[in-house]
Amino acid sequence: MPPSTQAKEALSARLMRTPGVLPALTFAILLIVWEASTWLFAIPTYILPGPSRIIGGFDAVPFTRWMEHIWATLRVALFGYVVAILVSLPIAVGLAKSEFMSKAFYPLLVVIQSVPVVAVAPIIIVVLGTDDAPRVLITFLIAFFPLVVSMTTGLRATPPELIELSRSLRAPAYREITQIRLPFATPYIFSGLQISITLAVIGAVVAEFVAADVGIGYFIQFSTSMFRLPEAWAGLTLLVAMSLGLFQSVGLVQKLLMPWSLPPK
Amino acid sequence: MARAPDAITFADVGQTFATRAGPLTALSGVDLAIKRHEFVAVLGPSGCGKSTLLRLTAGLVEPTAGTVSVFDMPVTQPRDDVGIVFQQATLLPWANVEDNVAFPAKHMRGRISKQDREIAQDVIAKVGLAGFEKRLPRELSGGMQQRVGIARALFRNPDILLMDEPFSALDALTRDQMGYELLDLWQSSPKTVLFITHSIPEALLLADRIVVMSARPGRVIADYKVPLVRPRDERTLRASEIQDLASELRDLLIAKETN
């Protein structure tokens, strides 16, 4: 093997050993290429602003106003997410425990899921007005279905032997849920929770697109209507950061509270 | 003198399940009496209703015909004096060994008392896992996990132990080892054992009696006493007097599998 190949392999091995270095490097190179090409090809900012212009976009409004936008979106996303969790848990228990419930209600849930929420959003706004309530409802509608599905799947994934063990002990029926089915469903529930939290952000933004006077979704729409693309991109960057942060937080909660539910390293 | 009641009796028991494809008869006309503290192995082809036999005894399913009795009482619901060991250990992955073993207490009464913990530690020691009380199931080997499963079944000190192919998921060496340990356990605190298995050597090594079942619908087609003295060990299976029995069992099972 020629020495240069060996050196290359040693370098790539070292890069893969250190966590975070490789993705950060990829990302940095992408940013450089992006920035360079906007200058090199003189791409107009309304088509694709470079990273430096996007950073400049953050100056468009004062910090406190950014905080108001972030808080408005985050509040609606989290509120809708919590409502989705609270609603989907009893539904999932019902679907998992009773075939009657499953047969009666699952088709309805699929119909609700098949309704394009973006199209219903204007209707909901007209019906419920323009405060947080319609926005929370829209967020809930987008976020709850994956939760129901993952929770139901999880509650059904309990080994049948443990259900038999539970019956052989003649324990109160609710303990089958609380001590066996729910804990067994944890890995499924958390994958649903991670999908749903990013959907909740989408839901909040969709609601702001339809009717809002604050929030990052509103800010993006407002900026684009004024052709201030770097500012819109700055808003988008914040949304991505918010989604990522929330997604990681859910993973962190699982890691801290239920380490056994993660695949062994 | 009054006759001591049999531990488990099946009187003309039949079991038919409703399936999508129509009724499925798993068992029909099963007659079987198991004495107290007898170790009975049930051999039979796959799908012959061996496990149904066990679930009927446990009171988890009701027979569609005939009667299953435990100590002369018809089984209508799960009993406290019956413990079950499943094919897979099926432990709670979030609970350590001690909490898994004491899980019946937690499930029935909502909490594990100090006394429960003492009982749990005692049965954990009995299955040879002393020192592993605080380990999680995923830190244990397959054989150790199944020991926890056995300890969980022993936790309530049942008179009857139902074992559904408990060692079939283990590798051959572990399987033999677990067999010997089960024998030790049974000899030091006798129990009525109904042991479902696929393996002729395992049945011969462990049981006082071997019951052979036919393919579906399952019936008892043969019932042998195992002519081996106890205690048994590695040399037991090489004894010449059981070679005929072993080949007879093999012929029965092979004939039934191919029919």
Side-chain angles (χ1 to χ4, degrees), chain A residues 82-191:
Chain A
V82 170
V83 174
I85 293 170
L86 293 180
V87 171
S88 53
L89 188 61
I91 292 178
V93 169
L95 292 180
K97 280 285 284 179
S98 142
E99 203 175 333
F100 181 84
M101 289 268 286
S102 179
K103 284 217 162 99
F105 290 106
Y106 196 72
L108 179 67
L109 289 177
V110 175
V111 170
I112 294 176
Q113 168 64 11
S114 308
V115 174
V117 179
V118 184
V120 194
I123 302 175
I124 293 174
I125 301 275
V126 171
V127 175
L128 289 181
T130 53
D131 59 357
D132 270 1
R135 289 196 276 274
V136 168
L137 179 65
I138 291 164
T139 306
F140 158 79
L141 282 176
I142 287 188
F144 99 108
F145 192 73
L147 278 174
V148 172
V149 172
S150 63
M151 284 181 187
T152 310
T153 312
L155 290 169
R156 280 183 181 156
T158 316
E161 289 91 345
L162 278 171
I163 302 305
E164 289 191 326
L165 178 69
S166 170
R167 288 183 47 216
S168 80
L169 296 170
R170 283 180 285 125
Y174 74 89
R175 288 210 188 114
E176 180 197 306
I177 301 281
T178 56
Q179 292 187 349
I180 299 178
R181 284 191 187 268
L182 264 181
F184 253 101
T186 316
Y188 296 85
I189 293 177
F190 269 97
S191 66

Side-chain angles (χ1 to χ4, degrees), chain A residues 203-221:
Chain A
V205 170
V206 165
E208 286 168 7
F209 279 176
V210 180
D213 46 19
V214 66
I216 303 178
Y218 158 80
F219 175 80
I220 290 175
Q221 211 185 27

Side-chain angles (χ1 to χ4, degrees), chain B residues 94-201:
Chain B
W94 57 89
N96 64 30
V97 168
E98 190 177 301
D99 289 348
N100 261 295
V101 171
F103 178 71
K106 180 163 176 143
H107 204 51
M108 287 186 299
R109 296 188 287 276
R111 57 183 289 272
I112 300 174
S113 69
K114 202 164 161 272
Q115 197 193 351
D116 292 328
R117 296 211 174 270
E118 281 163 16
I119 298 171
Q121 279 156 15
D122 188 47
V123 286
I124 289 168
K126 268 193 191 152
V127 298
L129 285 180
F132 290 92
E133 289 84 353
K134 302 299 173 199
R135 297 292 190 89
L136 287 178
R138 74 179 189 197
E139 298 166 337
L140 305 178
S141 68
M144 288 163 94
Q145 291 186 15
Q146 191 54 288
R147 281 165 214 243
V148 180
I150 293 171
R152 181 177 65 191
L154 295 175
F155 176 76
R156 297 199 294 166
N157 194 24
D159 203 84
I160 295 173
L161 194 55
L162 305 173
M163 307 185 87
D164 190 3
E165 306 191 29
F167 308 145
S168 63
L170 305 176
D171 64 83
L173 281 176
T174 314
R175 185 175 183 151
D176 290 351
Q177 182 63 31
M178 295 284 283
Y180 300 128
E181 285 178 25
L182 178 63
L183 279 184
D184 287 345
L185 212 61
W186 177 73
Q187 245 130 21
S188 61
S189 67
K191 299 195 181 303
T192 312
V193 182
L194 184 60
F195 190 99
I196 311 287
T197 179
H198 266 329
S199 155
I200 295 170

Side-chain angles (χ1 to χ4, degrees), chain B:
Chain B
M1 199 181 87
R3 180 187 66 96
D6 283 324
I8 309 170
T9 24
F10 291 84
D12 198 24
V13 170
Q15 182 70 49
T16 305
F17 295 106
T19 67
R20 263 174 218 274
L24 179 96
T25 306
L27 295 173
S28 112
V30 174
D31 282 300
L32 185 65
I34 297 170
K35 285 200 275 294
R36 185 155 191 252
H37 295 177
E38 198 173 20
F39 198 129
V40 175
V42 179
L43 269 176
S46 329
C48 72
K50 301 189 294 281
S51 295
T52 309
L53 221 54
L54 187 141
R55 280 166 176 75
L56 284 164
T57 315
L60 293 168
V61 279
E62 277 198 61
T64 44
T67 321
V68 181
S69 310
V70 169
F71 296 119
D72 283 353
M73 303 255 292
V75 176
T76 51
Q77 61 167 353
R79 298 169 55 104
D80 288 341
D81 53 1
V82 173
I84 313 174
V85 180
F86 301 100
Q87 191 168 358
Q88 305 285 337
T90 49
L91 307 175
L92 308 175
W94 57 89
N96 64 30
V97 168
E98 190 177 301
D99 289 348
N100 261 295
V101 171
F103 178 71
K106 180 163 176 143
H107 204 51
M108 287 186 299
R109 296 188 287 276
R111 57 183 289 272
I112 300 174
S113 69
K114 202 164 161 272
Q115 197 193 351
D116 292 328
R117 296 211 174 270
E118 281 163 16
I119 298 171
Q121 279 156 15
D122 188 47
V123 286
I124 289 168
K126 268 193 191 152
V127 298
L129 285 180
F132 290 92
E133 289 84 353
K134 302 299 173 199
R135 297 292 190 89
L136 287 178
R138 74 179 189 197
E139 298 166 337
L140 305 178
S141 68
M144 288 163 94
Q145 291 186 15
Q146 191 54 288
R147 281 165 214 243
V148 180
I150 293 171
R152 181 177 65 191
L154 295 175
F155 176 76
R156 297 199 294 166
N157 194 24
D159 203 84
I160 295 173
L161 194 55
L162 305 173
M163 307 185 87
D164 190 3
E165 306 191 29
F167 308 145
S168 63
L170 305 176
D171 64 83
L173 281 176
T174 314
R175 185 175 183 151
D176 290 351
Q177 182 63 31
M178 295 284 283
Y180 300 128
E181 285 178 25
L182 178 63
L183 279 184
D184 287 345
L185 212 61
W186 177 73
Q187 245 130 21
S188 61
S189 67
K191 299 195 181 303
T192 312
V193 182
L194 184 60
F195 190 99
I196 311 287
T197 179
H198 266 329
S199 155
I200 295 170
E202 193 172 65
L204 285 169
L205 175 73
L206 298 173
D208 297 315
R209 252 171 88 194
I210 298 178
V211 171
V212 185
M213 296 193 51
S214 67
R216 194 180 295 143
R219 284 175 302 108
V220 176
I221 51 166
D223 191 337
Y224 296 96
K225 270 212 159 342
V226 181
L228 291 172
V229 290
R230 294 185 187 275
R232 300 176 185 169
D233 58 24
E234 290 86 349
R235 281 155 307 190
T236 310
L237 291 180
R238 275 174 273 160
S240 53
E241 62 261 39
I242 64 155
Q243 299 312 323
D244 290 346
L245 178 52
S247 54
E248 207 170 316
L249 288 168
R250 207 164 292 130
D251 291 346
L252 267 176
L253 284 180
I254 290 167
K256 290 304 148 194
E257 290 277 20
T258 47
N259 275 353

